[in-house]
């Protein structure tokens, strides 16, 4: 029997069919290509940063040793990322080819390689600095596409080697045609998906990069004061003073993140004002930028909960804007609207309060706002729970009255006014923890924006209140860390804490649910001393 020039001879030994080398490489490469392309497309639809290929690249950058990063920057300048992605491409190509070659007889080795690559993509996405649950969709789709394509093409390639049926060579040719057709289809779909993902995802990532570059160039006219080193006790179990982006709590009703570009953003300030204003993003950059360290708090935070985080927000003073617009007397509410239709009603008196520091924020911790936290523009108001103050993706502000208009959460039973309550939380020891006997250190946070904390007290097993030691004070707009040492005998103990704010209000013992205006009660922790 003769062989063709394009297909290597098949080996019809006792071990069974074997895929020709060239086709084996093709199967591996196309399967991995399908995984990358589909992953990129789904990421483009859901959240561009969840593209497994890019997430792996970001992870490499994050963990690369300093000398390597420095070398890459000097050697490749601004194309360092392109170089990294290309090197990754070459490595993946080699792994994909190897996956195909390992599977010349049986499918499983190659499928395993594709699954391992998929798991790497999933891990890279899941451990990214900013992660939300829907981000797993892209790596999962990627893995499914890779395995699916591998199985499909592998089956077709393996059947090339089936003993020719009665129709002889004709059947062989049609099988080959089928494999080539399927390969072309998989290749075309993968490339199309990759380009689609690029087009869909490009906008926001590029726009964020441009805004970050502008912020680096402009620098806030009034930067936030440095955080003193003694402002937090992370070694004792409190949070770090500034919350890492990955840990910053996220609350919104957006299943799909709004994807707004800075250049397309504009916002109208209208309603009960003398001079209606329309602002574009550049108008914000042209104004003096201020930076403020602010602890944001969610009204849905239960006693002891973690819906509280701190960042340096950069933006434009919102009071200045409202003064320029000339809010008319009688307008007691600013109703702000997000592109996703979410609305927030903020007391005008708070926004116009001198020194309150309400911001129209465009940056967080020196960078553009993350897409999850409202890119390109959001509101942040010290001292108010997020649902009445912190509109993300904000594009409209109307001066109105509480009587005339209500907002998203107020329509759903939450209070019209949402000032932040004076609260403390115990972070250590954790409930059910076991700690060595003798001296036990209790530690936690307390907050009362914008007043600030003047005292935190702790007591154990209902005993006498003892004053805790407060960490360095940063500002009334932020949380304050505390610690207290207590001598405890072995056994189970319950500790409680209560905060007092700068106005002299002590956190109430009365237990209240989060609805309608924020939970109250003293936090407690029950632990064993050994
Ligand atoms: N567009 C929009 N903005 C929003 C919300 C929302 O659901 N949609 N949630 C608010 C609530 S309840 C809080 S607590 C804060 C949370 O902001 P963060 O996700 O950046 O922490 O955003 C506020 N702004
Ligand atoms: Mo919230």
């Amino acid at each position: 029997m003769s062989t063709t020039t394009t297909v290597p001879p098949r080996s019809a030994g006792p071990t069974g069919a074997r895929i020709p080398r060239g086709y084996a490489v093709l199967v591996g490469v196309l399967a991995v290509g399908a995984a990358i392309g589909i992953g990129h497309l789904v990421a483009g639809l859901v959240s561009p940063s969840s593209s497994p290929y890019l997430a792996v690249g970001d992870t490499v950058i994050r963990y690369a040793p300093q000398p390597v990063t420095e070398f890459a920057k000097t050697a490749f300048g601004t194309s360092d990322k392109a170089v990294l992605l290309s090197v990754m491409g070459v490595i993946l190509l080699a792994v994909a080819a190897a996956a195909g070659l390992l599977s010349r007889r049986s499918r499983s080795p190659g499928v395993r390689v594709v699954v391992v690559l998929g798991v790497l993509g999933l891990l890279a996405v899941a451990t990214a600095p900013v992660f939300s649950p829907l981000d797993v969709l892209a790596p999962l789709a990627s893995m499914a596409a890779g395995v699916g394509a591998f199985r499909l093409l592998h089956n077709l390639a393996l059947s090339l080697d089936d003993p020719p049926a009665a129709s002889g060579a004709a059947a062989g040719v049609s099988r080959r045609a089928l494999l080539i057709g399927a390969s072309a289809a998989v290749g075309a779909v993968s490339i199309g998906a990759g380009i689609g993902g690029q087009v869909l995802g490009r906008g926001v990532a590029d726009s964020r990069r441009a805004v970050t570059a502008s912020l680096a160039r402009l620098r806030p006219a009034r930067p936030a004061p440095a955080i003193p080193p003694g402002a937090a006790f992370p070694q004792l179990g409190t949070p770090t003073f500034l919350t890492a982006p990955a840990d910053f709590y996220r609350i919104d009703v957006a299943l799909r993140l709004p994807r707004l570009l800075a250049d397309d953003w504009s916002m109208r300030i209208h309603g009960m004002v003398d001079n209606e204003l329309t602002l574009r993003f550049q108008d914000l950059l042209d104004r003096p930028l201020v930076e403020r360290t602010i602890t944001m708090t969610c009204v849905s935070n239960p006693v002891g909960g973690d819906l509280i985080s701190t960042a340096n927000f950069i933006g434009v003073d919102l009071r200045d804007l409202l003064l320029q617009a000339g809010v008319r007397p009688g307008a007691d509410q600013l109703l702000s609207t997000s592109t996703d239709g979410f609305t927030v009603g903020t007391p005008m008196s708070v926004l116009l309060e001198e020194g309150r520091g309400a911001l129209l924020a465009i940056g967080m911790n020196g960078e553009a706002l993350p897409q999850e936290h409202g890119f390109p523009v959001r509101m942040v108001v010290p001292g108010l729970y997020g649902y009445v103050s912190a509109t993300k993706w904000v594009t409209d502000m109307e001066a109105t009255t509480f009587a005339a208009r209500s907002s998203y959460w107020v329509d759903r039973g939450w209070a019209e006014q949402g000032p932040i309550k004076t609260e403390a939380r115990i972070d250590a020891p954790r409930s059910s923890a076991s700690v060595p006997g003798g001296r036990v250190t209790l530690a936690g946070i307390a907050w009362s924006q914008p007043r600030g904390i003047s005292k935190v007290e702790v007591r154990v097993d209902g005993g006498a209140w003892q004053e805790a030691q407060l960490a360095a004070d940063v500002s009334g707009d932020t949380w304050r860390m505390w610690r207290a040492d207590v001598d405890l005998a072995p056994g189970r103990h319950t500790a409680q804490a209560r905060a007092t704010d700068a106005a002299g209000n002590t956190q109430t013992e009365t237990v209240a649910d989060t609805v309608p205006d924020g939970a109250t009660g003293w936090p407690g922790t029950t632990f064993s001393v050994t």
Side-chain angles (χ1 to χ4, degrees):
M1 184 182 149
S2 72
T3 58
T4 69
T5 48
T6 52
V7 182
R10 25 173 143 108
S11 76
T15 42
R18 207 151 109 135
I19 296 176
R21 263 201 194 87
Y23 282 135
V25 167
L26 186 70
V27 169
V29 168
L30 285 173
V32 170
I36 295 173
I38 297 292
H40 206 57
L41 176 67
V42 174
L45 290 167
V46 179
S47 157
S49 59
S50 68
S51 168
Y53 192 58
L54 299 184
V56 168
D58 284 335
T59 310
V60 171
I61 294 174
R62 207 146 18 96
Y63 292 110
Q66 181 77 14
V68 175
T69 335
E70 282 314 310
F71 165 78
K73 267 194 232 141
T74 8
F76 309 117
T78 48
S79 48
D80 57 347
K81 301 228 166 44
V83 170
L84 169 69
L85 292 177
S86 313
V87 170
M88 275 172 52
V90 171
I91 294 174
L92 269 179
L93 207 63
V95 173
L101 289 172
L102 284 172
S103 284
R104 290 182 64 198
R105 280 176 208 285
S106 136
R107 190 166 67 197
S108 20
V111 168
R112 254 178 246 139
V113 173
V114 174
V115 167
V116 166
L117 291 178
V119 168
L120 287 181
L122 188 63
L123 283 177
V125 168
T127 59
V130 175
F131 171 76
S132 57
L134 279 184
D135 289 355
V136 301
L137 288 180
L140 289 180
S142 168
M143 204 185 315
V147 172
F150 195 92
R151 295 175 65 123
L152 170 76
L153 298 176
H154 192 272
N155 277 346
L156 290 173
L158 207 58
S159 71
L160 276 181
D161 216 20
D162 284 354
S167 44
V173 166
S174 74
R175 283 198 190 101
R176 205 151 46 236
L178 202 60
L179 172 61
I180 289 168
S183 299
V186 167
V189 167
S190 309
I191 291 172
I195 293 173
Q198 194 63 9
V199 169
L200 286 169
R202 171 142 234 129
V204 175
D206 281 359
S207 186
R208 281 199 69 238
R209 251 193 299 282
V211 170
T212 299
S214 302
L215 291 177
R217 203 174 52 247
L218 294 170
R219 307 238 159 183
R222 275 183 283 155
I227 309 292
F233 314 122
Q235 72 283 5
L236 296 182
T238 73
T240 53
F241 198 87
L242 293 178
T243 310
D247 298 333
F248 204 99
Y249 84 91
R250 177 184 163 201
I251 295 284
D252 53 59
V253 296
L255 193 57
R256 284 259 274 106
L257 286 178
R259 38 178 75 239
L260 211 59
L261 308 188
D263 287 340
D264 296 340
W265 179 87
S266 78
M267 185 181 78
R268 216 154 61 94
I269 303 183
H270 63 109
M272 298 168 69
V273 296
D274 291 332
N275 322 299
E276 193 174 304
L277 295 181
T278 299
L279 297 161
R280 312 211 17 110
F281 197 80
Q282 187 59 45
D283 299 328
L284 301 184
L285 293 176
D286 290 343
R287 299 178 77 99
L289 295 179
V290 289
E291 184 180 37
R292 295 186 178 130
T293 310
I294 298 170
T295 296
M296 285 188 51
T297 314
C298 182
V299 69
S300 301
N301 194 36
V303 171
D306 57 6
L307 299 180
I308 177 164
S309 303
T310 303
N312 282 330
F313 290 96
I314 304 168
V316 165
D317 193 278
L318 184 52
R319 177 173 183 267
D320 286 352
L321 284 176
L322 293 172
L323 290 179
Q324 189 181 334
V327 176
R328 297 209 186 113
D332 62 0
Q333 172 180 232
L334 184 76
L335 188 79
S336 52
T337 307
S338 150
T339 35
D340 62 354
F342 182 80
T343 51
V344 162
T346 311
M348 197 64 88
S349 55
V350 172
L351 297 173
L352 292 177
E353 195 182 301
E354 225 182 320
R356 172 65 75 127
L359 277 183
L360 194 57
I362 57 175
M364 195 168 163
N365 301 325
E367 292 191 10
L369 291 172
Q371 200 186 354
E372 294 80 352
H373 296 293
F375 182 80
V377 183
R378 78 173 304 169
M379 268 173 69
V380 183
V381 186
L384 299 180
Y385 287 123
Y387 81 108
V388 290
S389 70
T391 324
K392 305 193 264 191
W393 316 290
V394 62
T395 51
D396 189 272
M397 289 185 167
E398 180 184 350
T400 177
T401 63
F402 281 108
R405 305 286 302 277
S406 69
S407 54
Y408 188 92
W409 285 116
V410 175
D411 286 339
R412 287 159 180 77
W414 295 79
E416 207 167 74
Q417 307 275 330
I420 293 176
K421 296 178 176 177
T422 302
E423 304 284 336
R425 184 182 82 188
I426 305 175
D427 291 326
R430 299 244 162 241
S431 277
S432 315
S434 263
V435 294
R439 177 138 292 201
V440 175
T441 301
L442 309 173
I445 58 177
W447 64 94
S448 177
Q449 309 93 304
R451 299 170 294 279
I453 291 295
S454 63
K455 184 166 72 174
V456 171
E457 297 159 289
V458 297
R459 66 172 188 182
V460 180
D461 303 326
W465 288 103
Q466 165 187 340
E467 210 168 317
Q469 185 190 329
L470 294 179
D473 191 14
V474 172
S475 104
D477 297 339
T478 63
W479 52 22
R480 192 152 181 200
M481 316 287 170
W482 57 267
R483 58 174 292 173
D485 296 325
V486 288
D487 291 316
L488 295 178
R492 270 163 69 81
H493 296 284
T494 297
Q496 289 172 297
R498 64 177 187 194
T500 299
D501 65 29
N505 312 302
T506 296
Q507 176 173 357
T508 173
E509 181 181 11
T510 310
V511 174
D513 191 13
T514 52
V515 188
D517 61 1
T520 61
W522 292 333
T525 177
T526 300
F527 53 93
S528 329
V529 171
T530 53

